[in-house]
Amino acid sequence: MRVLLALGGNALLRRNEPADAGTQRRNIELAAGVVAEIARRHDVMLTHGNGPQVGLLALQSESYDAVPPYPLDVLGAESEGMIGYMLETALRNALPGRDAVTVLTQVVVDPADPAFRHPSKPVGPVYGIEQAESLARERGWAMGPDGDGMRRLVPSPEPLALVELTSLELLVSSGVLLVCAGGGGIPVAADETGALRGVEAVVDKDLTAALLARRLGAEVLVMLTDVDSVRLGYGTEAEEPLGRTTPARLRREEFEAGSIGPKVEAACRFVEAGGRRAAIGELARAAEVLEGDAGTQVIAPD
């Protein structure tokens, strides 16, 4: 069975953990062990989040003021290469003799996407109010509240196409364990001649995962994170875990946009487009989530 596994950024760098390379490497080695267990029995493609890592890179870039901070497409590429390298090495060690390849993946977005008029995705460090207001004036950044401070808000446009799709298909058909489209991919737009340029945006990683799964012919899309399932009424006395469900059932509910919401939307899109099944669950129970014995299972109605 061809499976796309999407690892959440918080599954690779857990909440409140130090963001040093050693911590990330240890977490990635644990994740690679879980992925390897599945890859021994199925054709696996792998993508991943990069939120904590991009935040760290943005903070590091801000700390050196001799040059302007690197744009988001470049930071995204840096994080995709860094995480991909660690995953690739760990996967090769866990699966001796198996090829694992990381592809920096560009994702085409529409420069006329309404998201560019309404930045909503928080990135980078938390600033004090005065510094945030100064940066907003100097750089034209949109800023939004985050706890006692403020963070930069950037557009999160819809992923439309994968630039490297032909190469990705070739690698998958050759039996390579493919790591690609990390962090939602590197956002690019085409001009009137078809030339590509990077844009200041962050593509939602789960929506890109759904697009990638459809384009590469995955039968099942599995989104792995640090929660065990989708929950109705999250944080209330009426909280209820969802097991087996349908896109229509999920679309009657509201889910937090900055958390489980994009995963739910990605699962619905994949199944509505003809995918056999989408699942959302905990990284530590990935094999059970794939088999339908854990997590939230999203299927088309009979």
Side-chain angles (χ1 to χ4, degrees):
M1 181 166 63
R2 182 171 288 185
V3 179
L4 178 67
L5 301 179
L7 305 179
N10 286 326
L12 300 177
L13 186 60
R14 295 162 191 161
R15 289 178 175 86
N16 302 318
E17 281 188 326
D20 60 278
T23 299
Q24 294 187 66
R25 196 183 300 274
R26 286 190 295 274
N27 287 341
I28 282 173
E29 287 172 352
L30 291 173
V34 172
V35 173
E37 178 185 353
I38 295 172
R40 292 186 182 99
R41 296 178 288 113
H42 301 284
D43 294 331
V44 169
M45 303 168 289
L46 188 63
T47 188
H48 59 82
N50 70 342
Q53 292 82 4
V54 162
L56 176 61
L57 289 171
L59 186 60
Q60 291 173 334
S61 181
E62 286 284 345
S63 69
Y64 182 68
D65 58 9
V67 297
Y70 282 3
L72 283 173
D73 58 312
V74 174
L75 295 180
E78 288 181 0
S79 68
E80 192 176 356
M82 174 183 69
I83 298 169
Y85 153 66
M86 290 184 180
L87 276 169
E88 184 178 321
T89 301
L91 288 167
R92 286 177 177 267
N93 289 340
L95 295 165
R98 180 79 177 272
D99 265 352
V101 174
T102 300
V103 177
L104 297 185
T105 312
Q106 300 171 90
V107 173
V108 178
V109 302
D110 183 354
D113 190 305
F116 286 102
R117 297 193 297 273
H118 305 285
S120 61
K121 190 83 166 180
V123 299
V126 176
Y127 299 101
I129 302 299
E130 290 186 7
Q131 186 180 11
E133 292 175 347
S134 175
L135 288 169
R137 288 192 301 270
E138 293 171 8
R139 300 181 186 173
W141 286 359
M143 308 294 286
D146 189 305
D148 294 331
M150 301 187 77
R151 292 178 73 192
R152 182 186 178 191
L153 299 178
V154 301
S156 185
E158 283 279 327
L160 302 178
L162 302 151
V163 173
E164 292 81 10
L165 181 60
T166 300
S167 298
L168 299 178
E169 290 174 331
L170 180 62
L171 287 166
V172 170
S173 64
S174 299
V176 168
L177 206 170
L178 178 64
V179 182
C180 63
I186 304 161
V188 296
D191 65 18
E192 61 277 2
T193 70
L196 298 174
R197 58 176 177 80
V199 296
E200 280 284 271
V202 172
V203 183
D204 185 86
K205 65 184 183 301
D206 298 308
L207 299 187
T208 295
L211 176 66
L212 183 67
R214 297 197 305 271
R215 295 290 185 265
L216 292 181
E219 297 168 74
V220 180
L221 167 63
V222 180
M223 288 169 280
L224 299 169
T225 183
D226 56 355
V227 298
D228 61 357
S229 65
V230 177
R231 292 175 176 265
L232 300 179
Y234 180 74
T236 70
E237 292 183 359
E239 183 175 311
E240 174 190 354
L242 272 178
R244 194 175 178 89
T245 188
T246 65
R249 172 73 178 88
L250 289 170
R251 291 198 182 282
R252 292 199 296 268
E253 305 292 338
E254 290 188 10
F255 299 96
E256 188 177 352
S259 180
I260 203 71
K263 291 177 173 55
V264 170
E265 177 64 25
C268 291
R269 290 187 186 188
F270 178 70
V271 172
E272 289 166 344
R276 184 203 294 183
R277 177 166 50 91
I280 302 168
E282 196 173 9
L283 174 62
R285 302 185 67 187
E288 295 170 79
V289 175
L290 173 60
E291 296 303 322
D293 297 326
T296 296
Q297 305 292 324
V298 185
I299 59 170
D302 295 332

